[in-house]
Amino acid sequence: MLVNDLKHLAFIMDGNGRWAQRQNKKRSNGHNKGAKNARTITEYCVKIGIKYLTLYAFSTENWKRPKIEIEFLMKLLIKFLKKELKTLQKNNIKFDTIGDISRFSKPLQQAVLHVKKETSQCTGMTQILAINYGSRDEITRAVNRAIKKGKKVDEQDISNLLDTSNFPDIDLLIRTGGDQRLSNFLLWQNAYAELFFTNTLWPDFSIGELETILSKYRTTSRRFGAL
Ligand code: FPP
């Protein structure tokens, strides 16, 4: 299925922990499975012609989790980036991030910069990993940049000051895991996004379910406030 009118798709990949707990496994198993699924969904998205795919992998609020889980997620991110590079290059996918990566360890920061550099010439799709990302943090950083410039800003200026300045607004946001909230994710950029919530836990979210959501999305009339 070719999706022409969907430029930017975003996911809140929720439910890894519950997926693992339901099978009496450690939460880390759920995150491993979740990372694999991120790869599967990414490869599908590039195939159907989506130009930008944003994945919420670690929020500014996730630092409140137990230290052991944070450490696991940091290791997983490094592992994911190392493995992902081949997948990205094979599929002509450019890699980018949003969020403040300065809080991460040097090896993780270096891994991010390495994958960005090695995929900078890819043109098929841009995969954007939201890491240490929180919309309020992003907007606060943007406002401070504006203050530094010392002049009045309009909406376009704000868009240009956000981490997402190089990407279009979100067209479709999908959240797995049953909760119906935005959790501080792309509050500005989701202003006119279509929102889909599914009870499916992220590790179980399939290409088939994505196709069903995309079919519904394509029948939605998007008026952006006009008639
Ligand atoms: C939500 O599950 C998921 C996260 C906190 C992080 C998302 C991480 C992944 C999908 C794995 C890593 C992915 C990449 C791309 C490296 P949860 O722990 O909140 O699940 P729960 O709501 O069931 O507890």
Side-chain angles (χ1 to χ4, degrees), residues 13-19 21 27 30-36 38-39 55-59 62 65 69 73 76-77 80-81 127 129 177 179 201-202:
M13 309 178 287
D14 201 10
N16 293 341
R18 278 165 287 162
W19 181 89
Q21 279 157 348
R27 290 176 57 82
H31 293 313
N32 274 331
K33 192 84 177 31
K36 278 202 189 109
R39 186 166 300 122
L55 303 171
Y56 204 5
F58 193 84
S59 76
N62 285 152
R65 294 194 173 198
E69 181 159 340
L73 284 169
L76 178 63
L77 268 170
F80 176 83
L81 287 168
Q127 182 204 59
L129 218 51
D179 288 322
L201 303 175
W202 173 252

Side-chain angles (χ1 to χ4, degrees), residues 52-162:
Y52 299 89
L53 173 70
T54 296
L55 303 171
Y56 204 5
F58 193 84
S59 76
T60 44
E61 287 70 36
N62 285 152
W63 296 108
K64 294 180 204 154
R65 294 194 173 198
K67 202 169 157 235
I68 186 159
E69 181 159 340
I70 293 173
E71 279 171 5
F72 178 84
L73 284 169
M74 294 302 124
K75 278 195 198 128
L76 178 63
L77 268 170
I78 295 185
K79 214 168 85 185
F80 176 83
L81 287 168
K82 285 198 174 138
K83 260 190 149 180
E84 190 71 354
L85 180 56
K86 276 200 194 97
T87 313
L88 296 170
Q89 287 175 324
K90 189 179 84 193
N91 291 286
N92 193 22
I93 301 170
K94 187 175 182 169
F95 175 75
D96 216 329
T97 59
I98 52 171
D100 178 8
I101 65 163
S102 69
R103 191 167 166 189
F104 291 132
S105 69
K106 282 281 168 302
L108 179 47
Q109 290 186 42
Q110 276 158 5
V112 165
L113 296 178
H114 179 66
V115 180
K116 273 192 198 178
K117 187 166 159 257
E118 294 296 316
T119 62
S120 62
Q121 304 304 319
C122 296
T123 53
M125 180 178 87
T126 303
Q127 182 204 59
I128 303 143
L129 218 51
I131 45 177
N132 191 26
Y133 176 84
S135 205
R136 289 182 172 187
D137 176 67
E138 177 194 31
I139 291 169
T140 306
R141 286 187 283 106
V143 168
N144 281 319
R145 283 184 203 129
I147 291 169
K148 241 188 184 166
K149 290 183 180 218
K151 61 179 175 72
K152 250 181 128 179
V153 288
D154 60 20
E155 288 191 10
Q156 191 55 52
D157 292 326
I158 294 183
S159 290
N160 293 342
L161 288 164
L162 293 171

